[in-house]
Structures are given as C-alpha cells and as structure tokens.
Amino acid sequence: MQLTALAPFSCATLDVLLAERGIDAVLATSAHNARYLLGGYRFFLYDRSDAIGASRYVPVVGYVAGRAADSFYVGVPLEDWDTDVHPPWVPEVANVAWGSVEAAEAAAERIAQRGLRTGTIGIEPAHLPADAMQALARALPHATFADATQLLDELRRVKSAGELDLIRRGSTAVVDSMLATFAGLPIGATTSEAVELLRQEETRRGLTFNYGLIATGSDHGRAPCGRRIAAGAVLSLDSGADLNGYVADVARMALAGEPSARHVEALAHVDAVQQAARDAVVAGRRGGDVPDAAQAFMATLPDASRMAFQVHGMGLLTHEAPRLMSGGAPPGPATHRDRPLEPGMVLSIETHLADPQLGFVKLEDTIIVAADGHEAVADRGRGWNSLG
Amino acid sequence: MQLTALAPFSCATLDVLLAERGIDAVLATSAHNARYLLGGYRFFLYDRSDAIGASRYVPVVGYVAGRAADSFYVGVPLEDWDTDVHPPWVPEVANVAWGSVEAAEAAAERIAQRGLRTGTIGIEPAHLPADAMQALARALPHATFADATQLLDELRRVKSAGELDLIRRGSTAVVDSMLATFAGLPIGATTSEAVELLRQEETRRGLTFNYGLIATGSDHGRAPCGRRIAAGAVLSLDSGADLNGYVADVARMALAGEPSARHVEALAHVDAVQQAARDAVVAGRRGGDVPDAAQAFMATLPDASRMAFQVHGMGLLTHEAPRLMSGGAPPGPATHRDRPLEPGMVLSIETHLADPQLGFVKLEDTIIVAADGHEAVADRGRGWNSLG
C-alpha cells in the first residue's frame, strides 16, 4: 500500500495497461523507461555512452502487475555509488550485472523468484539487445514475451507537476540559449560555429545539449557544416536539449539584416498555422483536431505547397504519446487521434515554410494541455531576431 | 583498389580478421563501430539519444570481406542532411530506414544483393536490438550469424595519427578542465556542484562531457551528490569526456588545505605504481608486463591491501583493446596479455589507494605506446592541487 504511494508513476494506471494486454510483468530496459519507472534516476556513469567493455549497460526495471512491492532494479556493481546516495523507490536494488547478458539473467532470476516462470513478460524489443533477449528466453523457456513499448509510452502520456516543471525550465533555457546565440553570432560565421555556440549557451544554463538543426540562406539542408551565414540570409535554428532527461525542442528564426516585407509575411504565415494548432488545444477536445485545424488553415495559404505542420507528444522522448497524427518524421500510428486531450499532456507543434528563394522558415513551440485551454511555454523570440 | 585507400581503416587487416573467423560480411550497429568504419562520422541528430519514436536509431555499416567496393551504410531518411555535407567513404549510402526493424531489413536486402544469402554474417549482439536481430534472421533465413564484437575491437586496437591527435587533445582538455575546476571551487561546495563546474569547463574546451566520478573526505562513494567538500578534505576527480567520440579518461587530486606528510606519501605511492606501469610500456614488450610490473611494485608498499591498479585500452570506448588484464571493472578476457604492445596503442593506467582516514587517492593517466618507449599525454597536475 505504502509502496504504490512511493512509486513515481501511477501503479493503478500501469496495472490496467498490463491487464488489458494480459502481461504479468514488465522489464523496462530503455534509458527513458527505466528512468521513468525510477522517478528520474539514471546511473550517471553510462549516461553518455552505454558501451561497457565488450558489452552494453542495460539497466532493468522489473514491475509485476498488481504487486508494486515485488518491483526490482538490476544495475552494475559500481552503481552502488549512485543508488546509495540516490536510492530508487523499488524494494530490491540488485547492482550485480556487468553487461547485457548478465543483466538479462539477473532479471530472469527475479522473474522466476516471483513465480512468473510461465508468465507473459513485457519487453522493449528495440531497446533490449539481441544477446539479452536470447539470455531471457534461455533462462525463462516457458515464459511468453510480449512487446510492451506501446503500453509504456501510454503510461507516460500525462506529465506530473515535477515533469512539467522540468519541461518548462528546459524549454525556457533553450529559447534563452537561442536568443543569446543569435546575439553573439557574427555574420560570416559557419553553421557549425553557430551550433557550437548554442551548445555552450545551453550547457551554461544547465541543459544537456542534444542537437542543433540549422539552415541558412536558400539551402534547406539542416546539418551543421562549413556553410557561412551571409549578410541578408535567414537562419533557422531548431534545437533539442534535456534537463534530467526531459527534452526541450524549440525552433526560432534570425536574420542577418533587416526583414523585408516578404520575410515578415512568411514568418507571419508560419506563426498563423501555429496559432491555429494552439486554438485547438484544450483538455477534452479530440486530439486529431490539433493537426486537422493547423492543416486546414495551412491549406488556405498561398505557400501551402511548400509548408508542413507536425505535432508530437514530448517528454523523455522527442516523439512520444500523445500521438495525434501519422506521417511526419518519424512516421508512426496516430494512437491518440480520436481520443480526448488530457491536462498535463505536452505537445510540440512545428510549422515550416521551405521557400526556394527565402530559405527555411520555421517555428516550433511547446504547448501544455490545460483544463481550460493551454499553456505556451517560453513563448518568446518568435519574430525575426537580429544576428550579431 | 582506390576504395581501400579511401577507407579510414585497414581493409587488409579487417579482411584477415574476417577470414580467420570465417565471416563473409560484417554489420556494425554500435555507435562506436559504425563511427569507426565511417572514419568518425555519426549522424548528429541521434548522438545523444538513439530513441526514435517507438523504435530506435540503428545505423548499419556493412562490409563484405575482401570487397571494400561493396560496403554500404544504412541511415534514416533525414540523414541526407548530414551525409550530403559529410559524405562517408562507402560507395552506397542508403538513408532509407526509420527504426531498428527497417534498418535490419535494409541491411539484409543489401547482404542478399551481394550474394551472401547463405553466408556467415558478423553482428554485434549487445548493440543490435532484439527486434532487429529477428528481422535479420527472417530476411536471411539461410545465413549464419556470428559474434563480431571481438574482431571489431581487435581492428581498433592500434590508433591512427588522426585518432591519436583526438586522444591527445581530449586528455589535455580534461586535465585543463580539472585544474580550472579545482581553482574555481570554493571549500564547502557539494560534489554535485564540483562536477557541474567540471562539465562546464570541459564543454567550454570543446569536449562532450561523459561523467565525473568524485570522492571527498573519508567517504569512498564516487557519485556526485549533496556531500560537501570540507576544509582539509581530499578531493578525487575522475572524468570521462570525448572529442568526436574519442574518449579521454583522467583522474587528478586536490586538497582543501595544505598537504600533510601522510598526504604526500600516499600520493607518492600511487604515483610510484603508475611509474612502474609506465616503465613497462614500450612497443614489442609483452602487454601483460604492464599490469604485472605495477602490481609487483604495489605489493611492496605498506598500503598494498588498500590499493588497486588497472590498465585498459582506450579509444572510442573507455575500455577496449588492447586488453592486458582480466579482473577490474568491467571484468573481461585479457586477450592481449601475452602479445606484444604495438606503437599507436593507447593505454589508460589507474591506481588508487582507498584509505579509511585519508580518503580516496587516485591518479589515472593516458599512455601512448611508441616504438622507443611511451608518450604520457597531458602529464601535468599530478600532485596535490589546491582548492579555490
């Protein structure tokens, strides 16, 4: 009883999701789901690289349906350093496994101890190494393995106050970092130099830099490279960074000069699509209305054929539940299209106009679903910012 | 012919390693081996997090034994942005696969096109997702799959001039960052604050921070936390960071006050073990002599029972070939113990003394094997540095 209160997620919700799929226990092995089930904990030593010698770091969080007190965690021996000072909520912390096969064996042993040798075990097939899967199947030959990816995504779809706080702080810091980058960037700098400056600004604000997508001039390629930002050219900056694993993903524009009427119009159109999407964000409204409203409005614009809109849920992953549209990049099923939006869902909405002359014009904003509408996080710097 | 010259590694060496194991083609799917076979290239967008929506980013480099011209790369559709401006050397770049299963299918298709449907295909079982392995086996039902982890490790054991340059620059920047951290850290700061300061210093120097292991006072726990650095206490800082994926891993000491005779003696003993290891480093000498010499000398010291020595090869991974000792953390086979050291191998040597009163005293240095001895990289700051 007390343990379900300690758990950083709703055990009741997870139990329902497991019961619906007939899963007896789940083994979370992805960085994001292990972190989620442990309330933010991730062993700092392997956060950047999970290669360990000739194997791989595979943290395993085990959760047995309806039996939170049987939850466990399998880490590496050195991990006592971290769990001693940041103890996870699970009753059993077993820092015993070096590498993927040992981790799977230690998890299988605990599944067997909990009487689930013939049970149905949920796994993450894209985030479980092939040799760990083989070790699981070998150690639990009478168990059935089921894909738990979608149910764990579902579990994460509504954010807690603590998660929303990280998302707000992260998005705000990314926008601040972009504005500082624009202000500090001389005309003639390369796009690689611009992204390195952004990385410095984000790091200075406590974030872990993930990537900077950047386009300048009439070129729509978005990889940082030796391309120089010329006088009069547009600059599109789109960056991901995280705070304790929670992602911020925002895009802003700058110009190396004064905006022309065409510049102003292009960005106004992009913004208008973003506003059309925002207007559809309120708890209780059908999720699919967000992309539908944006795309219907976009279709009325003269540049529609060169524009694109995308919406994705965001949290520990850049693209997660709620999933309101298919298509986009990456493609995926629109599992939440015909379901109501819920307070605490986080949406990233993004619109671009890829103009052959003007260049790549884009805005991306973070929107939190609220009972009476929505909250636009870090809603600043959305016009033409000046360079240098 | 020309292609083998373009390849950033020795195709002849790889061909021998594959022939010895009867492997017809290898599919590298780990971040480190894909990067290695592409000469340093890694798609920037998924460098921090390889989760893509409900799946995972799995870059695949395919190499066919003896047929460099048949090499290929499978990336994600968005990756054209990066490969357009940073074209890899492989003749076929196929940015076609979203997620792990599609990547495996695209790789299997190319293996089949190259006439290897019934061949032996080398894979990385710890760095290939379970669903990708399943897709490979489904698409190539008559192929045999073999573990290529060890042979790829072997391929990377001697570093090129370009790799050594990255390692020298990286180690130097980590040492500089540590000295700046010691100088900037007030007595009373927490170990979390110290590691955050180190992260800032490393980032400022162009590095990607990996981790900071830290211990202070008589506590030997090494996770950053709320523990404060008290006046008179020792501080051990051990950090990993990378430059284009190449790891630097160095440890230095500081003291919040003046060193006592016991402080000086403890660090001198640790240093003497390091020197004993260094003295055994010269091309042509048996690899196992390095840990043997260090451990033999260590056994003569009064604190031997509280001391430990470890040596590991280092490059794209913190622990890679040459593997000169078993035991240690992580444990693994000592595959290079009875083989000669080769010029261009990179060793990380580390010695600690865990003293119940004094605290955790450690040095870790990067040593490059040379024809006539060795080069100690960034060989500074190895005494008691002052805090603040």
Side-chain angles (χ1 to χ4, degrees), chain A residues 213-388:
Chain A
L213 290 157
I214 188 165
T216 191
S218 57
D219 200 319
H220 302 169
R222 298 172 75 201
C225 63
R227 194 178 291 139
R228 292 192 183 280
I229 301 161
V234 302
L235 182 69
S236 156
L237 203 49
D238 181 347
S239 179
D242 72 88
L243 202 57
N244 287 20
Y246 284 83
V247 173
D249 179 11
V250 180
R252 295 292 185 261
M253 295 301 304
L255 193 65
E258 280 302 304
S260 67
R262 174 66 181 134
H263 284 121
V264 171
E265 180 195 57
L267 191 51
H269 285 172
V270 166
D271 179 43
V273 175
Q274 293 286 92
Q275 298 302 338
R278 292 179 185 208
D279 288 345
V281 179
V282 59
R285 189 153 170 192
R286 175 178 165 273
D289 286 359
V290 179
D292 291 355
Q295 285 166 331
F297 178 81
M298 198 167 69
T300 68
L301 294 173
D303 289 311
S305 65
R306 289 190 281 269
M307 296 182 79
F309 171 83
Q310 190 169 334
V311 54
H312 47 93
M314 197 171 71
L316 284 168
L317 298 185
T318 308
H319 294 251
E320 65 177 34
R323 301 179 182 274
L324 307 183
M325 60 186 285
S326 54
T335 39
H336 299 81
R337 182 170 169 75
D338 293 315
R339 291 163 55 184
L341 293 173
E342 298 170 71
M345 284 180 162
V346 176
L347 308 180
S348 183
I349 57 173
E350 40 182 326
T351 305
H352 76 246
L353 163 56
D355 184 279
Q357 277 81 50
L358 203 65
F360 193 80
V361 179
K362 175 172 181 174
L363 288 173
E364 180 165 10
D365 301 305
T366 304
I367 310 293
I368 300 175
V369 181
D372 57 349
H374 58 261
E375 173 190 345
V377 179
D379 211 21
R380 294 169 293 110
R382 301 176 69 262
W384 284 107
N385 297 289
S386 294
L387 221 61

Side-chain angles (χ1 to χ4, degrees), chain A residues 17-287:
Chain A
L17 289 166
L18 292 170
E20 283 172 358
R21 290 158 180 82
I23 296 180
D24 299 305
V26 65
L27 297 175
T29 51
S30 64
H32 50 283
N33 282 321
R35 191 196 284 262
Y36 184 78
L37 295 178
L38 296 179
Y41 171 85
R42 177 163 169 83
F43 183 34
F44 71 93
L45 188 60
Y46 299 120
D47 189 39
R48 157 73 178 157
S49 171
D50 59 8
I52 297 187
S55 186
R56 188 172 154 221
Y57 175 61
V58 180
V60 189
V61 180
Y63 179 89
V64 181
R67 293 157 52 188
D70 278 343
S71 303
F72 62 86
Y73 176 61
V74 174
V76 291
L78 296 179
E79 202 163 339
D80 283 343
W81 289 330
D82 210 357
T83 55
D84 280 355
V85 290
H86 304 113
W89 72 277
V90 292
E92 185 186 1
V93 173
N95 292 329
V96 296
W98 280 118
S100 49
V101 169
E102 283 185 39
E105 287 169 350
E109 188 185 328
R110 283 159 182 81
I111 289 292
Q113 284 163 356
R114 283 150 178 81
L116 296 172
R117 276 192 182 79
T118 60
T120 298
I121 312 301
I123 56 167
E124 297 187 77
H127 294 276
L128 178 69
D131 58 1
M133 179 67 243
Q134 211 169 33
L136 272 185
R138 198 166 47 226
L140 297 168
H142 305 296
T144 304
F145 296 96
D147 188 343
T149 306
Q150 201 263 333
L151 84 87
L152 290 167
D153 192 59
E154 194 68 48
L155 178 68
R156 302 197 318 271
R157 76 185 185 282
V158 171
K159 273 62 185 173
S160 70
E163 293 178 285
L164 292 177
D165 180 53
L166 286 170
I167 286 167
R168 281 190 195 98
R169 285 162 51 204
S171 296
T172 301
V174 170
V175 170
D176 288 347
S177 299
M178 284 185 169
L179 298 182
T181 299
F182 293 146
L185 199 63
I187 293 173
T190 67
T191 55
S192 284
E193 288 164 354
V195 170
E196 175 59 18
L197 184 51
L198 177 67
R199 186 178 83 102
Q200 298 293 335
E201 294 291 347
E202 290 182 349
T203 305
R204 194 169 301 160
R205 288 170 176 81
L207 299 167
T208 296
F209 170 82
N210 288 13
Y211 59 81
L213 290 157
I214 188 165
T216 191
S218 57
D219 200 319
H220 302 169
R222 298 172 75 201
C225 63
R227 194 178 291 139
R228 292 192 183 280
I229 301 161
V234 302
L235 182 69
S236 156
L237 203 49
D238 181 347
S239 179
D242 72 88
L243 202 57
N244 287 20
Y246 284 83
V247 173
D249 179 11
V250 180
R252 295 292 185 261
M253 295 301 304
L255 193 65
E258 280 302 304
S260 67
R262 174 66 181 134
H263 284 121
V264 171
E265 180 195 57
L267 191 51
H269 285 172
V270 166
D271 179 43
V273 175
Q274 293 286 92
Q275 298 302 338
R278 292 179 185 208
D279 288 345
V281 179
V282 59
R285 189 153 170 192
R286 175 178 165 273

Side-chain angles (χ1 to χ4, degrees), chain B residues 8-9 34-41 89 246:
Chain B
F9 54 89
R35 192 198 284 263
Y36 184 77
L37 295 179
L38 295 179
Y41 171 85
W89 71 277
Y246 283 83

